Amino acid sequence: MTLTPDRLATMANAIRALSMDAVQAANSGHPGMPMGMADVATVLFAKFLKYDPAAPKWADRDRFVLSAGHGSMLIYSLLHLTGYESPTMDDIRNFRQLGSVCAGHPENFLIPGVECTGGPLGQGLAMAVGMAMAERQLNATFGGDLVDHNTWVIAGDGCLMEGINHEAIGLAGTLKLGKLKVLWDDNKITIDGDTSLSTSEDIPARYRASGWDVFDCDGHDFADIERTLAAAAASDKPTLVACRTVIGKGAPNKQGGHDVHGAPLGAAEIEAAREYLGWTSAPFEVPAEIMADWRSLGAAGAKTRAEWEARLAAAPDAAEFNRRMAGELPEVEPIRKALAEWVEGDATVATRKASENWLNVLAPAIPEMIGGSADLTGSNNTKAKCQAPFTAEDYSGRYVYYGIREFGMAAAMNGMALHGGVIPYGGTFLIFSDYCRNAIRMSALQETRAIYVLTHDSIGLGEDGPTHQPVEHVMSMRLIPNLNVFRPADVIETAECWNLALEAAGTPSVLALTRQNLPQLRKSGDMLSARGAYVLRHAEADRKVILIATGSEVELACKVRDTLEGQGIGADVVSMPCMELYEAQDEAYKHEILPHDPSILRVSIEAGTTMGWERYTAASRNGGLNIGLDRFGASAPAKDLFARFGFTAESIVPKILDKLSA
Amino acid sequence: MTLTPDRLATMANAIRALSMDAVQAANSGHPGMPMGMADVATVLFAKFLKYDPAAPKWADRDRFVLSAGHGSMLIYSLLHLTGYESPTMDDIRNFRQLGSVCAGHPENFLIPGVECTGGPLGQGLAMAVGMAMAERQLNATFGGDLVDHNTWVIAGDGCLMEGINHEAIGLAGTLKLGKLKVLWDDNKITIDGDTSLSTSEDIPARYRASGWDVFDCDGHDFADIERTLAAAAASDKPTLVACRTVIGKGAPNKQGGHDVHGAPLGAAEIEAAREYLGWTSAPFEVPAEIMADWRSLGAAGAKTRAEWEARLAAAPDAAEFNRRMAGELPEVEPIRKALAEWVEGDATVATRKASENWLNVLAPAIPEMIGGSADLTGSNNTKAKCQAPFTAEDYSGRYVYYGIREFGMAAAMNGMALHGGVIPYGGTFLIFSDYCRNAIRMSALQETRAIYVLTHDSIGLGEDGPTHQPVEHVMSMRLIPNLNVFRPADVIETAECWNLALEAAGTPSVLALTRQNLPQLRKSGDMLSARGAYVLRHAEADRKVILIATGSEVELACKVRDTLEGQGIGADVVSMPCMELYEAQDEAYKHEILPHDPSILRVSIEAGTTMGWERYTAASRNGGLNIGLDRFGASAPAKDLFARFGFTAESIVPKILDKLSA
């Protein structure tokens, strides 16, 4: 099909009309970006993007990422016009209303054609890096007949100004991700005004400095756009295309100004725009011939997909490919067997080391696991023996040296998980979860199986001091919805928590692990961590106390219990490696572990903030007791810090006796 | 004094010896950086840095920032050798031990000569940008006789690879901060191995693309170092000096490798290093003639300082300068008066708008307030009418267009506050506190008066949807020690909370503000927010319920109360704008507000996570009740969302009645 610039222009105007009308109807939203990038997006979808609206989850489709997610009407328009089942015109009509899949920012969990959730600036592009990494890894594994697609991104000035952009493009440049193509909406406008108000950067020079190809085009000249995207597509480097555009193009009195960025145009300007564009249709109506042009584009992908389906059907490793893309774990009998053997053992190791040891069981059995660390491989213990580095020279590797790029790593992990076919995990110090916190949140929101290996999880890391000692981090991540925060107490719980993280296909996980050694506390039981909390030691004397602890403090709780029992005071020790899973249990189980008996004193012990623990302790005898750390740590050897801050049986037992006698 | 390269070399070896011996004694730490950068640092302190060890807080000293804070023995060595009172040799001997001021990473609150806390990579350099901004602002205000100093930074590869580096250098380049000089320890080593493992960036090209000057030198050739630092000092652009160094220089068998980065050299290698360096002194001993060279350097600054003191004494605005540098607020009587007038009023406004209105009272009265926003000026309402932009053309401005750089902004605010003489505040959406979370934590750890204006503080922002709707953020920031999190309920509390934030000289503050309008609830009372929580509405009927709410949900709590009272059920409404201040009250006041009476049902209402609220509710009748949002939000108009998620009196009252009758 040959689409002349005139026909492309009317097609692009359909995007403009839908965008301005939807924002107007919602009385909220961002018309500037969809109107400004309509021409570029039309050329991309007409001539370059590989997609089939009938199969939004086709494994070898090109990924299209709207990193400038506030311009959501652009992608809603494109998906509807090209013939995706969702969104419907009714959805678009209800843009930004309760129940519409056309949310303010595009949400991957609402519309299958939306590859990732956009909005938090910079992350879409950084997730696209992860998608392009997954593509190369699967290409190296399954070959170009099954996996050979581009990742296209539309990004705005905000995406490029955010710090994560530096991390993302540095990673992409080093890994020579030539199938990553970023179209930059170069409109020289930010919310506060002209970009010159806050930046003087030579963006192309910066991208070139990171090993990227850079092209530029007039974003409203169809021939120039096509020529430039062709050059970008042909490049073997990651590529930035600076698309010089006019924000809000088509709104004759407002285009080019920053007022058009994030507010409805208003009825008068919309009328003027209709005239300017020659668009005579009513709101939410697209003339039949324009719709036909769009739909014929959309239909064109079916042939390519059919050819691919045929190749897949003939491929000897089709079953394995399909398994990985479906996100189904392989047979894990060897893993179960290994865990049973571990339970018989008696290993005193740091949980970070236990994690490494378990990775050496998991990684050979689960080939889709792709590990990595933000330059702390030897500290996070994230590399399994069987994993070779993932590099520009060998994309079949399964271990990524992410560099000192926590946020870029986390976003890339999200992109990999969203791409599918791989299960990413990555490590840094727990404290530096702060650096990638919003990407962890985005894992949760997007329901990705990203696994964060966060070591050095308390003052137990010792000498590096308060900048490196998490205090509030474990609890603060428990506040994020749809995130499982695991803090295992020993080698056995570490292995169990890893298994639970891998099995949670729609929920990301954090594994908070110690630097310091811990004894093996569990010598029996099968996957007890799956209940979130369980009784590790039962009271022998008459039960007066329940000690609830996590991670390294479970050992301490056991010592406290032994002292109490020695004085005739019965005490359970409840190990609670995952609050979220405990909360998901039925009431009967929850009451079995923490009975509604106000005569029993409940005591929490965790080397972090106490706030939040009152959920489990405050309604118990004398208001319960929370042993924790509500201040910053200090620099000293771990044992000195635990003593200084009261994490010893000698310090805790008298507090319990006081409470019992109050 | 003429120091020949030979003498400089022995002086630098004193740094090496102290560093390797201290790390060895602690059996923990980072010898590689101090040994590698010893030569460069020696030249800096010998020939370029303006400082006087006798007056570490001298206002016009050069600021020296060790951004690569893990190399803390470098700064401890330099401070001790040049004659600062702290640290002593005993402190150094006790490096990384409990009670020593020589913590694992340098902490500004432990040693006066440490300008900022180092460790979290990238932030030192970004704080230095803020220091250089404060310097220019004060220079423009008070003139070059009083304020004219450089900010020197030593940064490592990690500082340059982190995303925040992009934000920091972009801001510095745009603002043309010519007095900022960054010495990059270009040793081509990261923890995981050679830098080539994870980066292929042309760093000088990137810095040039952001408007920086770039020089390079052999970091072990004293003449070359001096020549290059002189060129850097003379540049009128922000300047990067690539210092090509050998990590761990002086350890003959380990230098140049990544094992020397973060572990003791070991006794054998230390012996070999002593021989290699010709260093015959015992650990923690410095030969007298070398110490004399260092001390004479340190003493040289006294003359410059005396000249400056004389200029200050003669300056007409000396008192004002001293007031600002001391961090003392000016006379605030006009502010008190304005607040009293506001209490008489009846303003229905969003708290973000109330904040803007109050800024128009504060900013004219407190000239050291420097505002800004990360490209959301019109949304955060952070600009006071009296504030002109702070730009490269006019440094006297008091409003910073930070660009889309949340992390860079927050770190710059810390740098400004640490520099002194200014009180920084800055805005973004509350959700994007995630992007700068560790800098907020660093505000708290460093005890800086940084004020974060975080608007759009709940699902009340409406249509932008879950990526923009904070759920866990208010509570998660309450977990950070030494941070006051304010969530005011109306125009009066907003003004009060602003005042409290300004008065807290050693504690940063977050102001969580609404997008949506709220009625004025308070018509009386003076600075009630200072108690953290207070009874806004007293029960009329027999008190059965205490409703505790914050921010926009206080209005809702009042409606719930009215409904309950209408049914003869007495209910207090406690407004709790700041949990931290409430916790700081004496027990008598706390019991007055929340009496120990289990027959009263306590109900928390906050449009965010419920976890944490059990502290105040769980021990009350029938386990208390927590009204909140423990899931992600959605895209829709605010009123639809509040209804959908149960934030209406119609939804809450039946739950209370259920609890009362249980």
Side-chain angles (χ1 to χ4, degrees):
Chain A
M1 182 173 54
T2 307
L3 287 169
T4 62
D6 278 359
R7 283 171 73 188
L8 289 168
T10 55
M11 292 168 73
N13 285 343
I15 297 173
R16 293 191 169 93
L18 287 175
S19 298
M20 68 185 185
D21 289 336
V23 171
Q24 187 69 18
N27 195 26
S28 153
H30 300 76
M33 197 286 251
M35 297 180 77
M37 282 296 278
D39 299 335
V40 172
T42 297
V43 175
L44 175 64
F45 274 66
K47 314 250 178 175
F48 295 97
L49 197 74
K50 177 166 74 172
Y51 64 107
D52 181 357
K57 294 294 174 197
W58 171 24
D60 198 36
R61 70 192 181 279
D62 281 359
R63 281 8 179 220
F64 170 67
V65 170
L66 187 70
S67 189
H70 53 274
S72 54
M73 271 310 304
L74 181 69
I75 191 166
Y76 300 148
S77 301
L78 288 162
L79 294 175
H80 179 74
L81 291 167
T82 52
Y84 284 78
E85 192 176 323
S86 172
T88 65
M89 194 62 93
D90 262 358
D91 294 327
I92 291 176
R93 218 184 297 267
N94 287 304
F95 179 54
R96 291 181 159 241
Q97 305 309 304
L98 202 58
S100 170
V101 297
C102 292
H105 292 77
E107 311 287 3
N108 67 300
F109 50 90
L110 294 180
I111 300 184
V114 172
E115 300 288 357
C116 63
T117 289
L121 290 179
Q123 284 191 68
L125 197 159
M127 286 192 274
V129 172
M131 293 180 192
M133 289 166 67
E135 191 270 349
R136 284 294 87 186
Q137 210 281 335
L138 292 166
N139 171 281
T141 306
F142 291 98
D145 273 2
L146 295 192
V147 185
D148 187 13
H149 53 266
N150 287 314
T151 300
W152 293 90
V153 180
I154 288 182
D157 286 297
C159 295
L160 272 56
M161 211 185 294
E162 289 284 0
I164 191 174
N165 185 260
H166 170 50
E167 301 185 12
I169 74 166
L171 187 58
T174 302
L175 294 174
K176 298 191 168 70
L177 300 174
K179 299 184 81 66
L180 176 64
K181 317 289 174 188
V182 176
L183 311 180
W184 163 34
D185 180 16
D186 179 15
N187 60 28
K188 309 216 182 296
I189 292 292
T190 73
I191 292 174
D192 272 359
D194 291 355
T195 51
S196 61
L197 199 62
S198 58
T199 182
S200 55
E201 191 195 6
D202 179 347
I203 289 171
R206 176 167 67 91
Y207 271 72
R208 286 193 190 100
S210 286
W212 285 53
D213 250 352
V214 181
F215 300 93
D216 67 287
C217 69
D218 177 340
H220 303 301
D221 175 333
F222 289 97
D224 196 30
I225 298 168
E226 182 170 349
R227 200 162 40 233
T228 312
L229 295 198
S235 172
D236 61 357
K237 291 181 181 178
T239 302
L240 178 75
V241 180
C243 306
R244 292 187 313 274
T245 62
V246 176
I247 190 169
K249 172 82 174 175
N253 307 300
K254 292 195 166 181
Q255 63 188 10
H258 64 109
D259 292 343
V260 81
H261 166 83
L265 296 182
E269 182 69 4
I270 284 181
E271 196 171 318
R274 281 193 142 65
E275 185 158 351
Y276 182 87
L277 297 170
W279 190 265
T280 54
S281 300
F284 309 111
E285 285 180 15
V286 177
E289 69 279 13
I290 298 176
M291 188 60 101
D293 273 354
W294 272 113
R295 289 290 156 90
S296 69
L297 279 187
K303 179 166 171 287
T304 313
R305 180 169 69 90
E307 291 162 1
W308 179 87
E309 299 280 4
R311 292 198 299 276
L312 176 66
D317 44 8
E320 176 66 5
F321 180 79
N322 285 333
R323 180 189 70 74
R324 292 196 200 177
M325 289 305 299
E328 288 160 8
L329 292 176
E331 177 52 53
V332 291
E333 194 48 39
I335 296 171
R336 273 195 214 98
K337 205 166 145 239
L339 183 52
E341 282 167 17
W342 278 32
V343 171
E344 306 284 315
D346 187 18
T348 292
V349 290
T351 50
R352 64 175 171 147
K353 183 66 184 173
S355 170
E356 179 186 340
N357 293 345
W358 193 241
L359 279 171
N360 281 323
V361 173
L362 295 175
I366 305 177
E368 60 267 40
M369 289 178 72
I370 310 291
S373 167
D375 198 47
L376 289 168
T377 295
S379 297
N380 301 146
N381 301 65
T382 31
K383 190 169 179 302
K385 287 194 193 104
C386 69
Q387 289 171 324
F390 175 84
T391 65
E393 292 69 44
D394 183 4
Y395 290 124
S396 73
R398 292 171 51 203
Y399 192 80
V400 184
Y401 288 102
Y402 282 103
I404 303 151
R405 301 183 179 107
E406 297 81 7
F407 200 3
M409 173 178 75
M413 285 164 58
N414 281 333
M416 282 190 258
L418 288 163
H419 180 282
V422 297
I423 299 176
Y425 69 90
T428 183
F429 290 150
L430 175 56
I431 195 93
F432 295 125
S433 63
D434 280 355
Y435 275 50
C436 53
R437 185 173 170 92
N438 198 262
I440 298 174
R441 185 180 207 260
M442 290 292 283
S443 303
L445 180 62
Q446 297 181 104
E447 302 169 2
T448 67
R449 179 163 42 188
I451 302 172
Y452 296 93
V453 181
L454 302 178
T455 70
H456 297 58
D457 73 344
S458 76
I459 51 169
L461 68 86
E463 293 87 345
D464 274 338
T467 52
H468 283 58
Q469 290 163 353
V471 172
E472 71 277 22
H473 297 74
V474 168
M475 190 60 77
S476 81
M477 283 193 289
R478 289 181 183 132
L479 303 177
I480 298 176
N482 191 38
L483 175 67
N484 286 336
V485 179
F486 295 100
R487 191 165 185 255
D490 71 353
V491 61
I492 302 304
E493 286 193 3
T494 303
E496 290 178 345
C497 292
W498 252 115
N499 289 4
L500 293 164
L502 286 165
E503 286 161 12
T507 300
S509 297
V510 162
L511 296 164
L513 305 174
T514 66
R515 176 188 185 218
Q516 72 274 24
N517 280 345
L518 300 177
Q520 180 170 334
L521 299 170
R522 273 265 303 287
K523 304 295 177 83
S524 64
D526 182 21
M527 283 301 290
L528 299 180
S529 301
R531 310 300 291 264
Y534 62 93
V535 182
L536 176 69
R537 300 276 185 273
H538 284 277
E540 288 172 22
D542 187 26
R543 183 171 65 180
K544 295 275 195 295
V545 178
I546 298 177
L547 302 159
I548 315 166
T550 76
S552 47
E553 285 68 68
V554 179
E555 177 191 9
L556 172 59
C558 291
K559 286 182 187 156
V560 170
R561 172 192 173 274
D562 292 348
T563 307
L564 291 171
E565 293 276 354
Q567 300 181 26
I569 299 166
D572 281 357
V573 173
V574 170
S575 180
M576 189 180 271
C578 183
M579 275 190 191
E580 294 80 9
L581 291 181
Y582 173 74
E583 290 291 334
Q585 302 306 306
D586 59 31
E587 290 302 306
Y589 181 79
K590 285 158 85 168
H591 293 181
E592 183 190 326
I593 304 303
L594 298 176
H596 280 199
D597 180 348
S599 75
I600 298 176
L601 174 68
R602 295 193 199 164
V603 181
S604 68
I605 313 180
E606 184 172 69
T609 179
T610 56
M611 194 162 184
W613 277 107
E614 290 92 350
R615 170 165 293 183
Y616 301 111
T617 58
S620 80
R621 180 180 181 132
N622 293 323
L625 186 60
N626 302 110
I627 306 297
L629 187 66
D630 291 308
R631 49 155 287 170
F632 292 113
S635 171
K639 69 173 172 29
D640 296 345
L641 292 173
F642 281 122
R644 162 72 182 79
F645 294 122
F647 293 94
T648 61
E650 294 68 33
S651 167
I652 294 170
V653 168
K655 289 178 187 159
I656 292 173
L657 298 178
D658 273 3
K659 275 282 180 186
L660 287 175
S661 64
Chain B
M1 179 171 59
T2 307
L3 288 168
T4 60
D6 277 0
R7 282 171 74 189
L8 288 167
T10 55
M11 291 167 74
N13 285 343
I15 297 172
R16 293 192 169 94
L18 287 175
S19 298
M20 69 184 185
D21 289 337
V23 171
Q24 186 70 19
N27 195 27
S28 152
H30 300 76
M33 198 283 250
M35 296 180 78
M37 282 297 277
D39 299 335
V40 172
T42 298
V43 174
L44 175 66
F45 273 66
K47 315 249 178 175
F48 296 95
L49 197 74
K50 178 166 75 170
Y51 64 107
D52 180 356
K57 293 295 174 195
W58 171 23
D60 199 36
R61 70 192 183 278
D62 281 358
R63 292 341 187 238
F64 170 67
V65 170
L66 187 70
S67 189
H70 54 273
S72 54
M73 271 311 302
L74 180 69
I75 191 166
Y76 299 147
S77 301
L78 288 162
L79 294 175
H80 179 75
L81 290 168
T82 53
Y84 284 78
E85 193 177 322
S86 172
T88 64
M89 193 62 93
D90 261 357
D91 294 327
I92 291 176
R93 219 186 296 268
N94 287 305
F95 179 53
R96 292 180 158 239
Q97 306 307 303
L98 201 58
S100 170
V101 297
C102 291
H105 292 78
E107 312 286 2
N108 67 302
F109 50 90
L110 293 180
I111 300 183
V114 171
E115 301 287 357
C116 64
T117 288
L121 290 181
Q123 284 190 70
L125 197 159
M127 287 191 274
V129 171
M131 292 179 192
M133 290 166 68
E135 192 271 347
R136 284 295 87 188
Q137 211 281 336
L138 292 166
N139 172 280
T141 305
F142 292 97
D145 273 1
L146 295 192
V147 184
D148 186 13
H149 53 266
N150 287 313
T151 300
W152 293 89
V153 180
I154 288 182
D157 286 296
C159 294
L160 272 57
M161 212 185 293
E162 289 284 1
I164 191 174
N165 186 260
H166 170 50
E167 301 184 13
I169 75 166
L171 186 59
T174 302
L175 294 173
K176 298 190 169 69
L177 299 174
K179 298 184 80 65
L180 176 63
K181 316 289 174 188
V182 176
L183 311 180
W184 162 36
D185 180 17
D186 179 15
N187 61 27
K188 307 212 183 299
I189 292 291
T190 73
I191 292 175
D192 272 359
D194 291 356
T195 51
S196 61
L197 199 61
S198 57
T199 183
S200 54
E201 192 195 5
D202 179 346
I203 288 170
R206 176 166 69 90
Y207 271 71
R208 287 194 189 97
S210 286
W212 285 54
D213 250 354
V214 182
F215 300 93
D216 67 288
C217 69
D218 177 340
H220 303 301
D221 175 334
F222 289 96
D224 196 30
I225 298 167
E226 182 171 348
R227 199 162 41 233
T228 311
L229 295 198
S235 172
D236 61 358
K237 293 182 181 177
T239 302
L240 178 75
V241 179
C243 306
R244 292 188 312 276
T245 62
V246 175
I247 190 170
K249 172 82 175 176
N253 307 302
K254 292 193 166 183
Q255 62 187 12
H258 64 111
D259 291 344
V260 81
H261 165 84
L265 296 181
E269 182 68 4
I270 285 183
E271 196 172 318
R274 281 191 141 67
E275 185 160 349
Y276 181 87
L277 297 170
W279 190 266
T280 55
S281 300
F284 309 110
E285 285 180 17
V286 177
E289 70 279 11
I290 297 178
M291 187 61 97
D293 274 352
W294 273 112
R295 289 290 156 92
S296 69
L297 279 187
K303 180 167 169 289
T304 312
R305 180 168 69 89
E307 291 162 2
W308 179 87
E309 300 278 5
R311 293 199 299 276
L312 176 66
D317 45 6
E320 175 66 6
F321 180 80
N322 284 332
R323 180 189 70 74
R324 293 197 200 177
M325 288 306 299
E328 289 160 8
L329 293 176
E331 178 50 54
V332 291
E333 194 48 39
I335 295 171
R336 270 194 217 100
K337 204 167 144 239
L339 183 52
E341 281 167 19
W342 278 32
V343 170
E344 305 287 313
D346 186 19
T348 292
V349 290
T351 50
R352 63 174 172 149
K353 182 66 183 172
S355 170
E356 179 186 341
N357 294 345
W358 194 241
L359 279 171
N360 281 323
V361 173
L362 295 175
I366 306 176
E368 60 268 39
M369 289 179 71
I370 310 291
S373 166
D375 198 47
L376 289 168
T377 294
S379 298
N380 301 144
N381 300 66
T382 31
K383 190 169 177 303
K385 287 192 194 107
C386 70
Q387 290 172 325
F390 176 85
T391 65
E393 292 69 42
D394 183 3
Y395 290 125
S396 74
R398 292 170 53 203
Y399 192 81
V400 184
Y401 289 102
Y402 283 102
I404 304 152
R405 301 182 179 109
E406 297 82 8
F407 200 4
M409 173 177 75
M413 286 165 58
N414 281 332
M416 282 189 258
L418 288 164
H419 180 282
V422 298
I423 300 176
Y425 69 90
T428 184
F429 290 150
L430 175 55
I431 195 93
F432 295 125
S433 63
D434 281 355
Y435 274 49
C436 53
R437 187 174 169 92
N438 199 263
I440 298 174
R441 184 180 208 260
M442 289 293 282
S443 303
L445 179 62
Q446 295 181 106
E447 301 169 5
T448 67
R449 180 163 41 187
I451 302 172
Y452 296 92
V453 181
L454 302 178
T455 71
H456 297 60
D457 73 343
S458 75
I459 51 168
L461 67 86
E463 294 88 345
D464 274 338
T467 52
H468 283 58
Q469 290 163 352
V471 172
E472 71 277 21
H473 297 75
V474 169
M475 190 59 78
S476 80
M477 282 192 291
R478 290 181 182 132
L479 303 178
I480 299 176
N482 191 40
L483 175 67
N484 285 337
V485 180
F486 295 100
R487 191 164 185 255
D490 71 353
V491 62
I492 302 304
E493 286 192 3
T494 303
E496 291 178 344
C497 292
W498 252 115
N499 290 5
L500 293 164
L502 285 165
E503 287 161 11
T507 299
S509 297
V510 162
L511 295 165
L513 304 175
T514 66
R515 177 187 183 217
Q516 72 275 25
N517 280 346
L518 300 177
Q520 180 169 336
L521 299 170
R522 272 265 301 287
K523 304 295 177 85
S524 65
D526 180 22
M527 283 301 290
L528 299 180
S529 301
R531 312 300 291 264
Y534 62 92
V535 182
L536 176 70
R537 301 276 185 271
H538 284 279
E540 288 170 24
D542 188 27
R543 183 172 63 182
K544 295 275 196 295
V545 176
I546 298 177
L547 303 159
I548 315 165
T550 76
S552 47
E553 285 68 69
V554 178
E555 178 192 7
L556 173 58
C558 291
K559 286 183 186 155
V560 170
R561 172 192 172 274
D562 293 347
T563 307
L564 292 171
E565 293 277 352
Q567 300 182 28
I569 299 165
D572 282 357
V573 174
V574 171
S575 180
M576 189 180 270
C578 183
M579 275 190 191
E580 293 80 7
L581 291 182
Y582 173 75
E583 290 289 333
Q585 304 305 307
D586 60 31
E587 289 301 306
Y589 181 78
K590 285 159 84 168
H591 293 180
E592 184 190 326
I593 304 303
L594 297 177
H596 280 197
D597 180 349
S599 75
I600 298 176
L601 174 68
R602 296 193 199 163
V603 180
S604 68
I605 313 180
E606 185 172 68
T609 178
T610 56
M611 195 162 182
W613 276 108
E614 290 92 349
R615 170 166 295 184
Y616 301 110
T617 58
S620 82
R621 180 180 181 133
N622 293 324
L625 185 59
N626 302 109
I627 307 295
L629 187 64
D630 290 310
R631 48 155 289 171
F632 291 113
S635 171
K639 67 171 174 31
D640 297 344
L641 292 174
F642 281 123
R644 161 72 182 80
F645 293 122
F647 293 94
T648 62
E650 295 67 35
S651 168
I652 295 170
V653 168
K655 288 178 187 159
I656 292 174
L657 298 177
D658 273 3
K659 275 280 180 186
L660 287 174
S661 64

